[in-house]
Amino acid sequence: MGVVQALGNYYVLDASGVVLEGPLAVYPDSVSGPKISGFQIDKNTRIMVGCQLPVQDMAQLESMERVLLALEKASMLGRVSLIDVHSRGNLYAMTTEGTKIVLGDDKKLTTKLLIAREVLNIRTPMGNLKGAKIDVSSGKDAHYIPDVLPTVTPVLTPTPIPTPEPTPV
């Protein structure tokens, strides 16, 4: 289940993209799934309960379904607050801690999320997850990029001053 903001209202969707509830004026806090962003919806479209969300690109709904299923398999559904499906080759999720998980395409999503979960488990006790990024788009390993990279502190070293040679007479 997820929540979509479209045409100025919120709509609750099931995993396949069928509208279960809406239009709602405020974000429904009773929904256990994440917010889904990135859908391309025509401004003149009518969204109806019981019907599939009328998106321009059906591949976005397929990607959403795959990500939600993988999140459930990886036991991360409750830890993700947002899924972005704007670009099928550049999917990402945001955790409740504010960490961006770069998923890339929708292949091997469960593996990617299991890798990300392990990185989160290791990094959570260290803190500072807000604004960090975990890139698992390869499906083989993770690249953790903190929000603020350490700055290099220059070390002052004395510059040798050459002594002038005497002038020949």
Side-chain angles (χ1 to χ4, degrees):
M1 215 182 315
V3 177
V4 173
Q5 185 176 14
L7 310 175
N9 292 303
Y10 293 99
Y11 297 88
V12 178
L13 307 178
D14 70 3
S16 63
V18 174
V19 179
L20 301 175
E21 209 178 319
L24 305 168
V26 295
Y27 191 88
D29 56 0
S30 61
V31 176
S32 61
K35 181 177 180 182
I36 317 289
S37 67
F39 285 122
Q40 297 169 352
I41 301 173
D42 287 328
K43 299 283 184 214
N44 298 326
T45 299
R46 186 168 183 182
I47 300 173
M48 298 186 311
V49 173
C51 297
Q52 198 164 42
L53 188 69
V55 295
Q56 293 175 1
D57 184 4
M58 292 303 289
Q60 291 179 324
L61 283 177
E62 293 167 12
S63 292
M64 176 197 73
E65 186 172 7
R66 286 187 180 120
V67 172
L68 287 171
L69 180 64
L71 283 168
E72 192 171 334
K73 284 182 180 178
S75 300
M76 286 189 62
L77 197 55
R79 199 164 187 179
V80 170
S81 61
L82 175 109
I83 300 169
D84 187 89
V85 296
H86 179 73
S87 172
R88 191 171 193 172
N90 192 22
L91 302 171
Y92 70 87
M94 294 294 289
T95 67
T96 53
E97 297 99 339
T99 304
K100 182 177 184 177
I101 301 173
V102 179
L103 299 168
D105 60 23
D106 60 0
K107 309 277 188 287
K108 299 196 273 184
L109 284 170
T110 303
T111 302
K112 292 175 183 180
L113 288 166
L114 286 170
I115 294 168
R117 186 183 73 184
E118 290 308 308
V119 172
L120 287 169
N121 288 341
I122 292 168
R123 290 286 179 172
T124 298
M126 298 176 196
N128 297 330
L129 287 174
K130 187 172 183 171
K133 183 163 68 169
I134 302 171
D135 187 342
V136 291
S137 58
S138 71
K140 296 177 184 174
D141 53 17
H143 296 281
Y144 177 80
I145 303 156
D147 181 36
V148 179
L149 294 172
T151 55
V152 178
T153 306
V155 177
L156 298 176
T157 56
T159 307
I161 302 173
T163 54
E165 298 206 14
T167 333
V169 205

